[in-house]
């Protein structure tokens, strides 16, 4: 069974359970959502892919708490990943990696202990692991697409720590080049992985996309930066990477402020806070970004309130 078929079945079964729990027939649910009842029937049977718009409406109506939307987003992300693997680009093309001859010379250690630089091993989580650091992209196990497995996750995670370290250390050279080349390669591998490993690769793709977006901001290429950050949020939410989604939305807010759009910056800051209200650090970070946005809007009372609450 393909990932997409399995995902459709998972969505359909959950939709049926919630519908019956609410005491609704397929016809009644379809009428309230504005769809034909045959569409609901096909969704529940797994014959049709759920549209994101349908999933969002059903989630709200049936009080699913985001579960339906999360499954539908994961299905969509995997379909996009499959398109990227087969055609070299998704339905909305990924930005092309910039061409540059002055790629940075990275000082690579032999091993890295994860978590490091905020990168958590998708296989071992916060328990951590020690993994060798690839000297270059071609040395990441599985990049040939033949044997994508746990070592592929370790390789991309370890390589990402070197890029983050180089960005913090402001190593000379165009870091966007190797980061985006690695990201494009990673996304061709997602459809070849299985279950948790596919989710792990997508979590890493979200981290790479967030870094790629920030590097494009530093290049002054705000449009491409926003594209990468949007992808980061999409892939993070599809694979359970809540922290990455919050960070990417925060970066989108900063980018909006750089462009002088305080109202949009405030929207992104509010969205970052709403991803997971139970994480204290996301709330504090959101308050700081909201305070900055209110300062740009000239609302000094709200700025003082939010900055004081964050402090």
């Amino acid at each position: 069974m393909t990932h997409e078929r399995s995902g459709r079945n998972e969505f359909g079964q959950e939709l049926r359970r919630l519908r019956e729990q609410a005491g609704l027939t397929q016809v009644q649910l379809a009428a309230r959502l504005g769809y034909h009842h045959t569409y609901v029937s096909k969704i529940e049977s797994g014959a049709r892919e759920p549209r994101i718009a349908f999933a969002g409406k059903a989630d709200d109506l049936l009080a699913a708490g985001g579960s339906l939307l999360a499954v539908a987003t994961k299905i969509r992300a995997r379909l996009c990943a499959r398109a990227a693997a087969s055609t070299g680009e998704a339905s909305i093309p990924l930005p092309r990696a910039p061409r540059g001859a002055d790629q940075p010379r990275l000082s690579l250690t032999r091993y890295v202990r994860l978590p490091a630089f905020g990168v958590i091993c998708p296989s071992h989580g916060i328990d951590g692991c020690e993994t060798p650091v690839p000297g270059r992209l071609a040395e990441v196990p599985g990049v040939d697409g033949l044997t994508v497995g746990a070592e592929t996750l370790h390789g991309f995670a370890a390589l990402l720590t070197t890029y983050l370290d180089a960005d913090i250390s402001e190593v000379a050279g165009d870091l966007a080049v190797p980061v985006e080349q690695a990201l494009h390669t990673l996304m061709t591998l997602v459809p070849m992985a299985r279950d948790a490993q596919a989710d792990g690769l997508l979590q890493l793709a979200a981290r790479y996309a967030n870094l790629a977006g920030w590097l494009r901001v530093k290049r002054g290429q705000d449009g491409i930066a926003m594209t990468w950050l949007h992808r980061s949020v999409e892939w993070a939410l599809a694979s359970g990477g809540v922290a990455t989604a919050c960070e990417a939305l925060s970066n989108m807010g900063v980018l909006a402020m750089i462009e002088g759009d305080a109202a949009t910056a405030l929207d992104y800051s509010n969205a970052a806070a709403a991803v997971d209200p139970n994480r204290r650090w996301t709330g504090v970070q959101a308050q700081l970004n909201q305070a900055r946005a209110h300062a740009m809007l000239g609302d000094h009372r709200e700025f003082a309130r939010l900055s004081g609450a964050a402090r």
Side-chain angles (χ1 to χ4, degrees):
M1 183 181 293
T2 65
H3 287 309
E4 287 73 31
R5 177 72 186 188
S6 176
R8 292 201 301 267
N9 286 342
E10 179 186 353
F11 184 93
Q13 291 167 7
E14 181 66 4
L15 178 64
R16 181 183 294 111
R17 184 187 71 80
L18 291 168
R19 173 179 62 76
E20 292 175 347
Q21 181 177 290
L24 298 174
T25 65
Q26 289 183 344
V27 174
Q28 289 170 330
L29 177 64
R32 295 189 185 189
L33 295 175
Y35 288 82
H36 196 272
H37 67 88
T38 56
Y39 179 75
V40 173
S41 176
K42 290 178 180 178
I43 291 294
E44 289 191 354
S45 68
R48 286 285 301 271
E49 171 204 342
R51 299 180 185 131
I52 298 296
F54 173 84
K57 289 182 179 180
D59 208 294
D60 290 340
L61 179 66
L62 299 173
S67 63
L68 289 174
L69 187 58
V71 177
T73 304
K74 182 178 291 189
I75 296 169
R76 171 56 57 187
R78 283 178 173 159
L79 285 171
C80 289
R82 171 174 286 186
S86 62
T87 67
E89 57 184 9
S91 54
I92 300 176
L94 300 180
R96 291 183 178 272
R99 297 179 181 275
D102 58 338
Q103 296 188 31
R105 294 181 178 273
L106 305 179
S107 177
L108 300 178
T109 56
R110 185 172 177 81
Y111 287 89
V112 63
R113 178 74 190 178
L114 299 174
F117 297 95
V119 178
I120 298 175
C121 172
S123 298
H124 297 97
I126 60 173
D127 291 336
C129 61
E130 188 172 70
T131 183
V133 179
R136 55 196 178 94
L137 176 61
E139 295 177 12
V140 175
V143 294
D144 54 8
L146 300 178
T147 54
V148 178
E151 294 308 310
T152 310
L153 297 178
H154 287 144
F156 275 107
L159 193 61
L160 178 58
T161 65
T162 68
Y163 295 149
L164 291 166
D165 185 19
D167 182 45
I168 294 169
S169 304
E170 297 186 343
V171 172
D174 193 348
L175 189 60
V177 177
V179 168
E180 294 189 26
Q181 288 174 345
L183 179 50
H184 277 271
T185 301
L186 199 164
M187 285 308 299
T188 66
L189 300 180
V190 173
M192 305 177 192
R194 291 285 183 270
D195 302 323
Q197 290 175 356
D199 285 341
L201 288 176
L202 203 58
Q203 288 175 19
L204 289 169
R207 288 300 310 268
Y208 271 91
N210 183 50
L211 176 58
W214 189 246
L215 292 171
R216 290 287 192 160
V217 170
K218 294 169 76 171
R219 271 170 154 247
Q221 297 173 320
D222 295 351
I224 297 177
M226 192 62 82
T227 298
W228 277 131
L229 293 172
H230 270 290
R231 287 303 177 90
S232 178
V233 174
E234 175 187 342
W235 294 335
L237 292 177
S239 58
V242 172
T244 302
C246 291
E247 185 177 346
L249 283 165
S250 178
N251 284 338
M252 291 162 76
V254 171
L255 179 53
M257 281 188 267
I258 290 173
E259 294 182 333
D261 187 350
T264 299
L266 186 58
D267 288 339
Y268 283 132
S269 299
N270 293 337
V275 169
D276 189 349
N278 295 321
R279 294 187 185 230
R280 188 162 179 245
W281 72 265
T282 61
V284 173
Q285 181 169 287
Q287 285 176 326
L288 290 171
N289 287 336
Q290 289 164 350
R292 295 188 185 103
H294 279 291
M296 290 182 66
L297 291 168
D299 188 346
H300 300 296
R301 178 177 295 179
E302 195 64 8
F303 166 78
R305 185 187 71 80
L306 287 164
S307 58
R311 183 167 55 250

